[in-house]
């Protein structure tokens, strides 16, 4: 006859959900015993976070100088991992300067290094994410003190007899600052034509004498800053030969060589193009430099009894001078 034989083995664990465990760190070991012996079927250390985590920012609002480090501490119940929210975002640049210290008893210290004058006037908040739930701390704010930072056009210009305004953008903390305007190192005194304020400089009617270099100085309790800028009043081009006229009369003897001279003596901004038209078989136009041209006419004849026009132009202005040439 056959005798049935039952396999014998150590016990095996059937998973059963754990309930009613309060948030804490646990080491769970389960032993099972039968006639064969005793086996450790589970041995693990784990943390049960629970669903009511309290997160606290332990550092209050702070005022520091630019370049200083800022240290703050977050605390939470249990052994959790913190995420830091900076100005409602997770800026890569700012996180590169965020150094995490050692966690002790649920307290995590952070060091935010090398604060800068403007972009680090910001807020910090600690966050813990557990089981798709977000637990957030109170918010702390740092205010970075710094000397004024000035934004102003380096060069600006306008046409004669028009109004011209220079506008400032100023960043400063504290923002109670004073503004001083200079020309040639002399403070500008407002009058009926010139008006100044903490945000702008205005000339109601530009004149050629307003050309020059100006300086603005902004001062608060943390220091002073200054910027230099140019004002260009567009003028000319003005021709030497024309004496403010747009045409002049010239005469040449037939069969003789003649010359027409075109020279710009004043222009703001500088001349970028200077040409004479028309030319001809016996006409040679020679460019002496950027502001002077010579029209050489060889053995002048009746065909040269025409108008020759000299054109001069800048990036902002243009002018011409016509030579009413007569050959006889």
């Amino acid at each position: 006859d056959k005798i049935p034989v039952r396999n014998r083995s150590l016990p095996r664990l059937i998973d059963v959900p754990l309930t009613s465990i309060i948030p804490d760190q646990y080491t769970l070991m389960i032993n099972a015993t039968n006639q064969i012996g005793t086996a450790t079927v589970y041995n693990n250390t784990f943390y049960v976070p629970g669903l009511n985590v309290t997160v606290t920012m332990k550092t209050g609002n702070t005022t520091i100088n630019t370049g200083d480090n800022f240290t703050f501490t977050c605390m939470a119940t249990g052994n959790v991992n913190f995420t830091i929210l900076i100005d409602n975002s997770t800026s890569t640049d700012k996180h590169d300067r965020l150094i995490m210290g050692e966690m002790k008893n649920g307290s995590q210290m952070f060091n935010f290094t090398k604060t800068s004058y403007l972009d680090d006037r910001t807020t910090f908040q600690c966050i813990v994410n557990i089981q798709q739930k977000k637990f957030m701390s109170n918010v702390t704010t740092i205010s970075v003190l710094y000397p004024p930072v000035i934004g102003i056009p380096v060069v600006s210009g306008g046409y004669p007899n028009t109004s011209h305004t220079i506008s400032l953008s100023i960043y400063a903390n504290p923002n109670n600052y004073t503004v001083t305007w200079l020309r040639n190192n002399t403070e500008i005194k407002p009058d009926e034509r010139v008006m100044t304020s903490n945000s702008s400089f205005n000339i109601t009617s530009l004149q050629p004498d307003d050309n020059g270099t100006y300086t603005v100085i902004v001062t608060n309790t943390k220091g002073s800053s200054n910027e230099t800028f140019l004002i260009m009043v567009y003028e000319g081009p003005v021709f030497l030969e024309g004496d403010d006229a747009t045409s002049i009369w010239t005469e040449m003897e037939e069969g003789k060589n003649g010359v027409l001279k075109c020279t710009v003596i004043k222009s703001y901004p500088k001349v970028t193009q200077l040409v004479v038209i028309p030319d001809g078989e016996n006409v040679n136009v020679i460019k002496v430099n950027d502001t002077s041209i010579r029209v050489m006419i060889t053995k002048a004849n009746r065909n040269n009894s025409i108008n020759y026009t000299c054109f001069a132009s800048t990036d902002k202005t243009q002018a011409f001078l016509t030579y009413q040439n007569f050959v006889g």
Side-chain angles (χ1 to χ4, degrees), residues 138-149:
N138 51 308
V139 176
T140 189
T141 301
I142 60 169
S143 180
V144 183
L145 301 177
Y146 54 91
V149 179

Side-chain angles (χ1 to χ4, degrees), residues 58-269:
K58 301 298 292 183
T59 306
N61 296 341
T62 307
T63 299
I64 60 177
N65 292 316
T66 181
D68 290 350
N69 296 343
F70 171 61
T71 300
F72 61 97
T73 302
C74 297
M75 292 190 68
T77 54
N79 185 22
V80 299
N81 292 321
F82 291 99
T83 298
I84 305 301
L85 197 65
I86 301 178
D87 248 358
N88 299 317
S89 67
T90 52
S91 165
T92 302
D93 171 63
K94 290 182 178 180
H95 276 279
D96 287 345
R97 291 180 285 139
L98 191 63
I99 301 173
M100 183 182 299
E102 181 182 359
M103 176 179 283
K104 294 182 179 180
N105 300 321
S107 178
Q108 179 74 67
M109 185 177 70
F110 297 88
N111 189 21
F112 189 63
T113 64
K114 299 178 181 178
T115 55
S116 60
Y117 71 90
L118 180 62
D119 59 331
D120 291 334
R121 184 175 181 171
T122 188
T123 61
F124 293 83
Q125 192 171 21
C126 298
I127 301 175
V128 173
N129 292 297
I130 297 176
Q131 299 180 11
Q132 299 181 344
K133 292 190 67 175
K134 182 179 293 185
F135 302 90
M136 306 181 71
S137 75
N138 51 308
V139 176
T140 189
T141 301
I142 60 169
S143 180
V144 183
L145 301 177
Y146 54 91
V149 179
I150 305 170
I152 193 171
V154 177
V155 179
S156 64
Y159 296 94
N161 303 315
T162 63
S163 178
H164 189 67
T165 300
I166 301 292
S167 296
L168 285 176
S169 59
I170 300 174
Y171 303 96
N173 189 24
N175 61 2
N176 53 331
Y177 49 79
T178 60
V179 177
T180 305
W181 300 88
L182 307 176
R183 182 182 180 188
N184 298 327
N185 296 321
T186 301
E187 185 173 354
I188 298 172
K189 300 299 183 182
D191 56 30
E192 61 182 11
R193 199 173 65 88
V194 178
M195 293 177 290
T196 63
S197 71
N198 278 1
S199 60
S200 65
F201 172 76
N202 177 262
I203 301 176
T204 58
S205 180
L206 279 176
Q207 300 300 319
D209 289 344
D210 293 322
N211 279 323
T213 301
Y214 296 76
T215 302
V216 58
I217 302 173
V218 184
T219 304
N220 69 0
T221 57
K222 304 308 295 182
S224 294
S225 301
N226 66 83
E227 289 290 342
T228 298
F229 60 96
L230 297 176
I231 291 182
M232 299 168 46
V233 182
Y234 308 139
E235 184 179 11
V238 176
F239 297 98
L240 171 64
E241 293 80 6
D243 192 24
D244 293 333
T246 58
S247 64
I248 58 175
W249 177 266
T250 57
E251 295 184 0
M252 294 181 183
E253 186 178 347
E254 189 172 3
K256 299 292 185 178
N257 296 340
V259 59
L260 302 175
K261 300 177 182 180
C262 177
T263 304
V264 175
I265 59 171
K266 187 185 297 184
S267 179
Y268 209 86

Side-chain angles (χ1 to χ4, degrees), residues 6-10 34-36:
R6 294 181 179 179
N7 291 330
R8 294 185 177 185
S9 62
L10 291 173
N34 64 7
Q35 294 176 347
I36 301 300

